[in-house]
Amino acid sequence: MESKIRVKWQKGTMLKRIFIPMFILVLIVSILFFGVIFYNNILSQMEKNTRDIFDSKVINRSHELENMMVNQWSNLETEVEDIQSVINNLTAKNQIDPKHLADNPDDSRIILEHITDNVISTLRNHRVTGAYVFLCSDIPGDSDKVSLPGLYISDSNVENDNSITNSDLMIRRGSKSLVEKMGIATDSAWEPNIILKGHNLEEFKAVYDNYHRFQEDTTDITDLGYWMPMLQVENDYVVSYVLPIEYKGTVIGVLGIDVSHEYLKTLLNYLELDSDAKGAYSLILEENGKYTDILTNNSYFAVDFKTGDQLKIQQNGDHKYLMQNHDRVALSSENLNLYNNNTPYEKQQWQLSGMMKEKDLLAFTSQIKVTLLYAIIGSVLIGLILSILLSIWISRPVISLADSVRKMTFKDKISIERTKIIEIDQLIDAIEKTGNNAIDAVARFTKIIRLANTQLEGFELDYEKKQLYVTDDFFSAFGLKVDVSQLSIEEFERLMRQFKDRCRPSNSKSANEYIFNLNKNGKSIYLRLRYIDDEVNHKYYGLVEEVSELIKERQLIEYERDHDVLTGLVNRRAYQRQMKRLFTIEASSINIGALLMLDLDNLKMINDKFGHEYGDLYIQKAADMFRRLSPEGTIISRISGDEFNLFLYGYDSRTELREKIDRFWRELSKSSITMPNQQEIHILVSGGIAWYPDDSRDFNTLQKYSDFAMYSVKHTLKGEIGDFSLQDYRNDVYMMKRKAELSRILEANAFTYYFQPIVSAVDGEVFAYEALMRTVDSTLKNPSEIIEIAKMESKLYLIEKITMRNSLKQFNDLIASGKVSKDLKLFVNSIANQRLSEGEVRSIEEQYGAFLPNLVLELTENEELNEEYTAYKKEVLKIWNSRLALDDYGSGYNSGRNLLFLNPDYVKIDIDIIRDIDKDMDKRTIVKDTITYCHERGKYVIAEGIETIAELKTVVGMDVDYIQGYLTGKPAPEPKDVYKEIKSEIMNCRRPSPLD
C-alpha cells in the first residue's frame, strides 16, 4: 500500500507537489482554530439556553392562567349557595316546588326572576365574558335538542366596569318577562330559552351523568365542577365552567361562567415569546393520550392548528414538537392543575403550550453556525487561492513546455519556444530531435504503403487533445479533393457524415467495420473502414481500403447461391425467402394470386433416350418458355430437377387471373424441342393450382395444396393443369392418418414444451422464455401442421387448453427446482379464434394464481382475430394482471389494424422481416417505424429469429427492446443462460460509433 502511494506521489505534477503541502498546512491551522469551538460544545450550550428561556416564559404564563382559572373564574361556590338559598326561601313560602320544575314552568320563571342579580354579580365578580343559569333535573340521553328555561348574560367589555348602568351587558338567553324586568339590551341572536344541541348537548349530558353518578360520594360540590373547553355560542367558541345547583341532594340546574376564546387570546400575549410575532400560545386538552387543540392565538399557526383539531405531538429526546407543513414546531408545555385528585375529571389534563418553529426559535444559534461555517470556508478558500497562486508561479515554465509539446501535430518540423531556464531548454532540444525523427519515419512508411496494389488510407482522432491526423490522400479515396493539412475534427466529421447514406455495417464479426458503396469517376467502388476505439485515451484509429474486387466476387457468389445454374431461375432457398417476404411485409400487394406447381412429365424419357445433355436442354427450354409466356411480375423458381413453381399475383379478380393462366397454358402446350434425330418433342407439363386467398393465405399451405393438386393431375390426366380441391385433400389417405395421429396424441396429452429465452437488448440478460410446442413419440412434429389438422378436426380448443396447462405446469416445475428464476416472464401462444371456458379459467387461477402476473399471452397474426374472443381474453388478462403480446407482427392479416385493436404490451416482429435485415434497407425502415410507433405508446418490441451477429447488431442499433432467436438460445426443456460472448456483443452494440 505504501509503495503504491509513493509511486502515485512520484508521478504527480509539479503543481500538485508544491500545492498539496501548502494547502495541508492551511487546513491544519483552520482545523485547530475551529476545533476548539466545537470541542467545548459552545453551540449546543447556546441552543439549550435558548430553549430554557422559551420554557421559562411559558411556565410564568401558565402560572398566571392557572391562577385566573382556579382562583378567579371557577370560584363559584358562594354564588351557588346564594342561589340555593333563594330557592329554599321561595320553597318555604310555598311559591315553588323545586322537585317538579319540569311540570311547572311558572316555578322556573319565579326562580329566574329572583336570581337575576345573582347572575349579574357572578359575571361582575369573576370578570368573565359570560354567566348563565338554567333549570333542569336531567337531560334525556336520546334527545338531540333540548330547550331549557334559563338566563344567559354576556359582557362585551370585561375590562370596563359599567356596573351601575349595565350598558356593557347583553342578554343572550332569557324569557321576555326577564328582559323587561332587567332592562338590559338583548343580543342580536337572542332566544327566550337556552337551547342545547350538537356538541354542547353532548357536553351537558356528560356533566349530568357525572352529577348523578358521583353526587352521593362527593361532599365538596367543587369536585363536580367541570371545565368545558369548546362550547359553541353562535359562531364563537367559549371555555365554560359549571357547578350544579341542588335542592335537598337533587340537582335541579347548573350555574356556569364562560370565557370567550377571543378574550383568552388577548390574555395570552404571544409577543412575549417572540417580538417578531413568530410565537404562539396554544391551550391543549390531553385525555387518554390524545391531544386536542382548544385554541391557538396567533394566525401564524392558527391556520394549520384549529379549534378541535387532533394534534400529533411527537417527542425528540427531551423536546416535544409538531409538524406544520414541512417545518418542525417546537413545543414547551406546562400542565394546568384545574381538578383535584379522585374527582370525576382528574384524567382530563389542560396544558398551556408555547409554540414556535424550530428554525425561528434557534435562528440566532443557526446564524452563529452559518457564520462559523463561512469563516471556515473563507479561511480554507483564502489558503487554497494563495497556495494555487504560489504553485502556479513556481510551475508555470514547466506547464508552458508541456502545453507546447501537447499541441504538436507531427505534420511539420517541430519547433518549441525556449523558456530561458537552462535545464528546461535542454529538455526542449531533446524533444525536438526525437519528434522530428519520428516525423521522418512516418513519411518513409507512408511512401512504402503507396507501393501496395490497393489504396490504404488512415486517420487518428484525438478527442482529448482535439487533434486530427489524416493521410494526405484519405479523402481522395472517397472521390473528394480536400486539403487535410489544416483540417479540424469537426470538419472531418462533417465530411464523413455526407457518406452516411452510402454506408452500412459489414458482415464481419467486428462491430467497428463499415462498407461504403460510392460512385467514383463513373465507376461503382467499395471502401471498407475499420477503426479501433481507444477508450482510455479518448482516441479513434481508423484504416480505409478499397475492396471493390472482393465485394463483387462476394456478390457473384451470392448470385450463384440464390440462382439455379442450369436455368438462371431463382433456386428453392432464394424462392422460399422471397415468398416469405411477399406473404408478410408485402402481403397487401398480392390481392388475388395463384401458385402453380409444374412438373415436366417426359424428362425421364428424354434422359433415357437422348442422354442427360438433352435432358438439361429440355429443362432450359422449358424454363425459357415459362419466363417468356408468364405475365410480367410472375415469380418463377426451379424447385427440384423437374419441378417448377410460378406465383402470379396482384390481380383484381380470379377471372382475370384465370384468363392469364389459360393463355399461358395454351401457348405452353404448343412449345417443343428438336432432338438429335430432328424429332420435335412437345414440352409436356402437368400442373396444379392453389388460389390465394380462396384456398389459403399462408404460403406453405398454398405450396402444399398446389403440390397435392399437381400430383392429383399426374395420377389421372397427365399433361393437364388442375385446381386444388379441399374436399379431395381432406379425403386423402395420408391426411386421414395424420388426423388419427392427432387424435391419439391429444387423448394421451403427448405434448411437451421447450423454452426459448427472450433477452434484453441492453445487457443480454434473460427477460422471459417462450413456451414452444413439441410432441412426444409422434410422427406429427411440426406445430404448424398440428394446428392445421386440429383446425380441420375442430380440435383447436383442446390445443389451446393443453398449451396453457402444460406450459404453466412445466415452467412452474422449473421454478420450484431452482432452474429458472420466479421473476422471469413466460410467453404462451394462444390461438386467435379460440378461448378457454370460464371453468377452465377459474381452475388455472386456483392452481397458478401467484404466477399469473408473469404470464404474457401471445396472439399470432396467422389467424383472423375473433373480436369477441379477443375481448374476453383481454378481460381475463386484466383480472390476472397478465400482459398481451402480438406475435409474428407483419406476417398476417391487417397488421396495422390488429396492432390498434389489440393494443398489446409487446410486439414481436416476424422472423421473415428480421432475417437479413442488415442487408435490406426496406426491412430496416419497416422495423424502425414499428419501434418508433411502439415506444411513443409505451410498448416493447421483440425481434424474433436473430441468427447472425450482423442481424443482432442491426436491431440493437435500432433500439429494439428484446431479442429472441437461435443466436441467443435454442429452445430446450431446461433452458440455459445466454453465452457471455453474446452478452458482450449486445453490450458492445450500445456503444456509439464516430460515424454516428
Side-chain angles (χ1 to χ4, degrees):
M1 184 68 178
E2 292 180 358
S3 62
K4 290 183 179 179
I5 295 174
R6 190 181 302 112
V7 169
K8 190 172 183 180
W9 171 256
Q10 291 172 351
K11 289 185 178 180
T13 64
M14 178 181 291
L15 179 63
K16 182 169 69 175
R17 298 186 69 174
I18 297 172
F19 164 72
I20 290 177
M22 295 181 64
F23 185 59
I24 290 175
L25 180 61
V26 173
L27 284 179
I28 291 173
V29 174
S30 300
I31 291 170
L32 288 175
F33 176 73
F34 293 102
V36 174
I37 295 175
F38 293 104
Y39 179 76
N40 290 306
N41 208 17
I42 294 173
L43 296 177
S44 297
Q45 189 61 42
M46 290 178 62
E47 181 178 327
K48 182 177 184 301
N49 292 341
T50 301
R51 291 186 183 272
D52 290 344
I53 294 171
F54 187 69
D55 292 343
S56 66
K57 293 177 181 179
V58 176
I59 291 171
N60 292 336
R61 179 57 64 183
S62 69
H63 289 167
E64 292 180 11
L65 180 60
E66 180 182 319
N67 182 60
M68 294 182 72
M69 294 182 73
V70 174
N71 297 323
Q72 179 178 329
W73 296 340
S74 64
N75 189 13
L76 301 179
E77 297 93 325
T78 302
E79 285 77 4
V80 170
E81 290 175 359
D82 291 343
I83 291 174
Q84 290 180 164
S85 177
V86 171
I87 293 172
N88 289 335
N89 290 336
L90 291 173
T91 304
K93 295 176 182 180
N94 293 322
Q95 294 184 13
I96 62 170
D97 182 5
K99 293 185 177 180
H100 299 89
L101 291 178
D103 300 325
N104 299 297
D106 287 339
D107 289 358
S108 298
R109 178 182 55 77
I110 293 170
I111 293 173
L112 293 174
E113 289 176 352
H114 281 79
I115 64 173
T116 54
D117 291 338
N118 301 76
V119 176
I120 293 175
S121 64
T122 300
L123 184 65
R124 296 294 189 190
N125 293 339
H126 296 278
R127 302 185 66 80
V128 292
T129 60
Y132 59 89
V133 62
F134 62 78
L135 302 174
C136 176
S137 59
D138 194 10
I139 297 178
D142 57 350
S143 57
D144 55 6
K145 183 177 180 182
V146 176
S147 179
L148 302 174
L151 176 62
Y152 180 14
I153 303 173
S154 64
D155 188 350
S156 61
N157 195 339
V158 177
E159 301 301 329
N160 295 328
D161 187 0
N162 296 314
S163 57
I164 298 176
T165 63
N166 289 333
S167 60
D168 58 337
L169 303 184
M170 299 185 72
I171 298 177
R172 288 194 169 191
R173 302 289 184 269
S175 66
K176 187 175 181 181
S177 61
L178 284 176
V179 174
E180 293 173 350
K181 176 179 178 298
M182 297 175 69
I184 298 175
T186 58
D187 184 68
S188 60
W190 168 83
E191 294 283 349
N193 288 336
I194 292 179
I195 299 174
L196 301 179
K197 59 183 179 179
H199 173 73
N200 293 359
L201 179 59
E202 295 301 322
E203 286 278 49
F204 277 103
K205 282 182 181 180
V207 168
Y208 268 84
D209 288 343
N210 285 327
Y211 286 165
H212 299 320
R213 190 182 309 165
F214 298 103
Q215 188 175 15
E216 295 180 359
D217 300 330
T218 304
T219 57
D220 187 352
I221 192 173
T222 59
D223 289 344
L224 296 177
Y226 176 54
W227 281 99
M228 299 182 187
M230 294 170 290
L231 279 185
Q232 190 167 4
V233 181
E234 278 76 50
N235 295 324
D236 301 324
Y237 283 100
V238 300
V239 172
S240 179
Y241 180 78
V242 295
L243 277 179
I245 301 172
E246 297 181 340
Y247 174 74
K248 292 185 178 181
T250 301
V251 176
I252 62 171
V254 297
L255 174 66
I257 59 93
D258 68 44
V259 180
S260 70
H261 282 197
E262 293 303 317
Y263 179 54
L264 267 173
K265 291 177 181 179
T266 64
L267 297 177
L268 302 174
N269 183 15
Y270 57 79
L271 291 177
E272 67 189 18
L273 296 176
D274 182 72
S275 59
D276 293 330
K278 293 182 179 179
Y281 279 113
S282 181
L283 202 55
I284 298 172
L285 178 65
E286 188 271 324
E287 187 173 14
N288 298 325
K290 294 182 178 180
Y291 298 87
T292 305
D293 185 10
I294 299 174
L295 65 88
T296 300
N297 71 337
N298 186 349
S299 59
Y300 188 61
F301 294 100
V303 174
D304 296 305
F305 307 126
K306 299 181 179 65
T307 298
D309 285 354
Q310 293 293 315
L311 302 178
K312 296 181 180 180
I313 297 178
Q314 304 179 52
Q315 193 85 18
N316 182 20
D318 296 332
H319 308 302
K320 294 181 179 179
Y321 67 91
L322 289 167
M323 294 303 297
Q324 184 183 30
N325 297 327
H326 299 292
D327 294 326
R328 181 180 287 189
V329 179
L331 285 182
S332 176
S333 302
E334 280 296 315
N335 292 336
L336 303 177
N337 298 315
L338 305 183
Y339 300 111
N340 296 326
N341 294 331
N342 300 319
T343 61
Y345 307 106
E346 64 175 336
K347 293 184 178 179
Q348 286 192 357
Q349 182 62 63
W350 288 54
Q351 298 176 353
L352 179 66
S353 296
M355 60 171 58
M356 194 170 177
K357 289 183 179 179
E358 285 196 350
K359 66 181 181 181
D360 296 329
L361 179 64
L362 304 176
F364 180 72
T365 305
S366 299
Q367 186 176 359
I368 295 296
K369 290 180 180 179
V370 171
T371 302
L372 288 174
L373 179 61
Y374 284 159
I376 294 173
I377 294 173
S379 300
V380 174
L381 286 177
I382 291 172
L384 176 64
I385 292 170
L386 292 175
S387 301
I388 290 174
L389 291 175
L390 183 58
S391 302
I392 290 174
W393 182 73
I394 296 173
S395 60
R396 179 178 295 171
V398 178
I399 294 174
S400 177
L401 171 60
D403 288 339
S404 298
V405 174
R406 191 179 298 112
K407 293 176 181 177
M408 292 189 306
T409 62
F410 295 98
K411 294 180 180 179
D412 302 312
K413 291 294 182 179
I414 298 172
S415 178
I416 303 174
E417 184 180 354
R418 283 358 185 220
T419 64
K420 298 181 181 180
I421 299 174
I422 295 175
E423 291 81 357
I424 297 177
D425 287 345
Q426 289 175 347
L427 177 61
I428 290 175
D429 292 337
I431 292 172
E432 285 183 348
K433 181 178 180 181
T434 303
N436 289 326
N437 289 339
I439 291 174
D440 292 339
V442 170
R444 288 194 296 271
F445 183 71
T446 302
K447 292 177 181 178
I448 294 172
I449 291 177
R450 291 290 177 267
L451 299 176
N453 291 330
T454 184
Q455 185 175 4
L456 292 174
E457 304 296 338
F459 67 88
E460 177 192 50
L461 301 176
D462 189 337
Y463 284 99
E464 187 171 301
K465 296 181 180 179
K466 296 184 178 179
Q467 291 182 350
L468 167 69
Y469 172 78
V470 183
T471 55
D472 294 339
D473 295 330
F474 181 86
F475 283 103
S476 67
F478 289 84
L480 299 178
K481 292 183 179 181
V482 178
D483 182 6
V484 300
S485 60
Q486 301 298 323
L487 197 65
S488 67
I489 292 179
E490 292 74 15
E491 291 171 335
F492 176 82
E493 291 176 339
R494 180 183 60 79
L495 289 169
M496 292 302 296
R497 275 196 294 271
Q498 67 180 292
F499 300 109
K500 187 175 182 179
D501 295 337
R502 309 290 295 173
C503 166
R504 62 173 175 81
S506 76
N507 296 327
S508 169
K509 294 183 179 180
S510 172
N512 302 330
E513 183 173 307
Y514 292 85
I515 299 296
F516 293 81
N517 184 10
L518 307 174
N519 192 306
K520 183 179 178 182
N521 300 326
K523 290 176 57 180
S524 177
I525 67 166
Y526 293 89
L527 302 178
R528 178 168 60 197
L529 184 148
R530 297 174 179 172
Y531 69 90
I532 298 173
D533 182 0
D534 183 354
E535 294 181 344
V536 177
N537 297 309
H538 304 288
K539 292 183 179 181
Y540 284 93
Y541 303 94
L543 179 69
V544 170
E545 61 177 320
E546 184 175 349
V547 290
S548 300
E549 294 301 323
L550 178 65
I551 296 295
K552 290 175 181 178
E553 288 178 6
R554 185 180 299 169
Q555 290 175 342
L556 178 61
I557 293 171
E558 290 177 353
Y559 177 84
E560 293 176 349
R561 178 197 66 190
D562 293 339
H563 289 76
D564 178 53
V565 177
L566 182 62
T567 64
L569 300 175
V570 292
N571 58 26
R572 182 187 187 91
R573 179 170 179 247
Y575 172 69
Q576 292 281 345
R577 186 170 65 249
Q578 190 174 356
M579 294 302 287
K580 286 182 179 179
R581 175 187 175 89
L582 178 63
F583 274 71
T584 54
I585 300 176
E586 302 171 1
S588 59
S589 65
I590 299 177
N591 205 3
I592 302 297
L595 179 61
L596 278 64
M597 173 70 80
L598 304 180
D599 183 80
L600 302 180
D601 290 331
N602 48 4
L603 177 63
K604 185 177 184 306
M605 180 271 292
I606 293 174
N607 282 332
D608 293 342
K609 186 173 181 180
F610 300 103
H612 287 279
E613 181 180 351
Y614 275 85
D616 291 344
L617 182 63
Y618 181 71
I619 294 173
Q620 289 175 333
K621 179 69 173 177
D624 290 340
M625 294 302 295
F626 295 158
R627 253 192 302 258
R628 183 171 63 83
L629 299 177
S630 297
E632 184 178 354
T634 302
I635 299 174
I636 309 173
S637 172
R638 183 186 180 196
I639 301 302
S640 62
D642 57 355
E643 291 184 348
F644 295 81
N645 268 184
L646 282 73
F647 186 65
L648 295 79
Y649 67 98
Y651 295 89
D652 294 328
S653 68
R654 182 165 171 168
T655 303
E656 178 189 4
L657 181 53
R658 170 60 76 179
E659 290 176 358
K660 297 280 185 181
I661 295 173
D662 291 345
R663 187 180 305 118
F664 165 81
W665 197 255
R666 286 194 301 272
E667 295 296 324
L668 183 63
S669 301
K670 301 175 184 177
S671 303
S672 62
I673 182 173
T674 303
M675 293 291 104
N677 59 0
Q678 303 303 313
Q679 179 183 356
E680 291 286 330
I681 297 180
H682 285 286
I683 297 176
L684 187 61
V685 178
S686 296
I689 307 175
W691 294 90
Y692 177 99
D694 293 350
D695 293 330
S696 177
R697 291 177 179 268
D698 178 65
F699 167 67
N700 291 327
T701 304
L702 282 176
Q703 195 170 35
K704 191 187 326 179
Y705 286 174
S706 61
D707 185 66
F708 177 82
M710 184 266 292
Y711 277 101
S712 296
V713 169
K714 284 181 71 74
H715 295 155
T716 54
L717 303 171
K718 235 177 189 181
E720 298 292 336
I721 188 168
D723 288 0
F724 168 76
S725 168
L726 183 61
Q727 186 64 38
D728 292 345
Y729 183 77
R730 287 177 174 171
N731 292 333
D732 188 74
V733 175
Y734 170 80
M735 183 54 61
M736 295 297 290
K737 291 180 179 179
R738 307 304 274 175
K739 292 177 181 179
E741 178 61 10
L742 175 66
S743 298
R744 184 191 70 80
I745 61 175
L746 283 174
E747 184 177 353
N749 190 10
F751 294 89
T752 186
Y753 288 83
Y754 282 28
F755 300 94
Q756 186 175 30
I758 301 173
V759 305
S760 168
V762 175
D763 55 13
E765 294 297 330
V766 175
F767 160 73
Y769 288 97
E770 180 180 359
L772 300 172
M773 177 191 292
R774 299 291 186 270
T775 54
V776 180
D777 297 327
S778 173
T779 57
L780 280 176
K781 301 290 185 183
N782 191 325
S784 299
E785 187 178 6
I786 293 173
I787 296 296
E788 179 187 349
I789 299 173
K791 181 177 180 181
M792 294 179 183
E793 295 294 283
S794 299
K795 293 180 179 180
L796 287 177
Y797 175 81
L798 293 177
I799 298 293
E800 180 82 354
K801 175 181 175 181
I802 289 173
T803 298
M804 183 63 72
R805 281 283 185 185
N806 288 15
S807 58
L808 282 173
K809 181 181 184 305
Q810 285 185 230
F811 198 75
N812 274 270
D813 289 344
L814 292 172
I815 293 174
S817 62
K819 296 176 181 177
V820 170
S821 170
K822 63 182 178 62
D823 297 323
L824 298 180
K825 293 190 179 298
L826 174 63
F827 282 63
V828 178
N829 288 282
S830 176
I831 302 172
N833 54 14
Q834 297 296 313
R835 52 158 280 193
L836 297 177
S837 67
E838 294 181 358
E840 189 64 23
V841 169
R842 286 194 298 271
S843 175
I844 291 173
E845 290 174 350
E846 293 172 0
Q847 193 167 359
Y848 303 104
F851 177 75
L852 292 178
N854 285 0
L855 176 67
V856 180
L857 199 68
E858 290 192 23
L859 293 181
T860 179
E861 282 205 329
N862 290 331
E863 292 288 340
E864 293 252 15
L865 289 176
N866 182 304
E867 294 189 359
E868 177 186 350
Y869 287 1
T870 302
Y872 175 83
K873 291 179 182 180
K874 291 173 72 174
E875 187 63 28
V876 170
L877 293 178
K878 183 178 180 182
I879 296 172
W880 288 356
N881 197 23
S882 302
R883 297 292 178 265
L884 182 66
L886 177 58
D887 192 19
D888 297 331
Y889 178 72
S891 68
Y893 310 103
N894 302 319
S895 297
R897 176 182 176 276
N898 291 342
L899 184 58
L900 291 173
F901 171 67
L902 289 177
N903 190 26
D905 302 286
Y906 301 89
V907 176
K908 300 183 74 175
I909 300 178
D910 186 67
I911 183 175
D912 293 315
I913 300 178
I914 297 299
R915 180 172 291 130
D916 294 330
I917 190 171
D918 54 301
K919 305 172 185 176
D920 193 327
M921 178 61 74
D922 292 336
K923 289 185 177 183
R924 291 198 295 273
T925 301
I926 292 170
V927 172
K928 187 64 179 177
D929 291 344
T930 302
I931 292 172
T932 301
Y933 175 88
C934 291
H935 283 183
E936 288 177 350
R937 291 157 179 80
K939 306 178 190 304
Y940 298 97
V941 178
I942 301 172
E944 288 189 299
I946 299 296
E947 297 182 359
T948 68
I949 294 294
E951 292 170 349
L952 174 69
K953 292 177 181 178
T954 301
V955 298
V956 172
M958 297 171 73
D959 207 23
V960 76
D961 299 295
Y962 300 104
I963 299 163
Q964 182 179 359
Y966 273 38
L967 184 66
T968 53
K970 297 181 179 180
E974 294 183 3
K976 299 178 182 178
D977 198 3
V978 182
Y979 290 119
K980 292 182 180 179
E981 294 81 0
I982 299 302
K983 290 183 180 179
S984 177
E985 285 288 349
I986 292 173
M987 296 180 73
N988 287 338
C989 289
R990 287 287 177 183
R991 297 192 52 226
S993 162
L995 300 176
D996 291 340

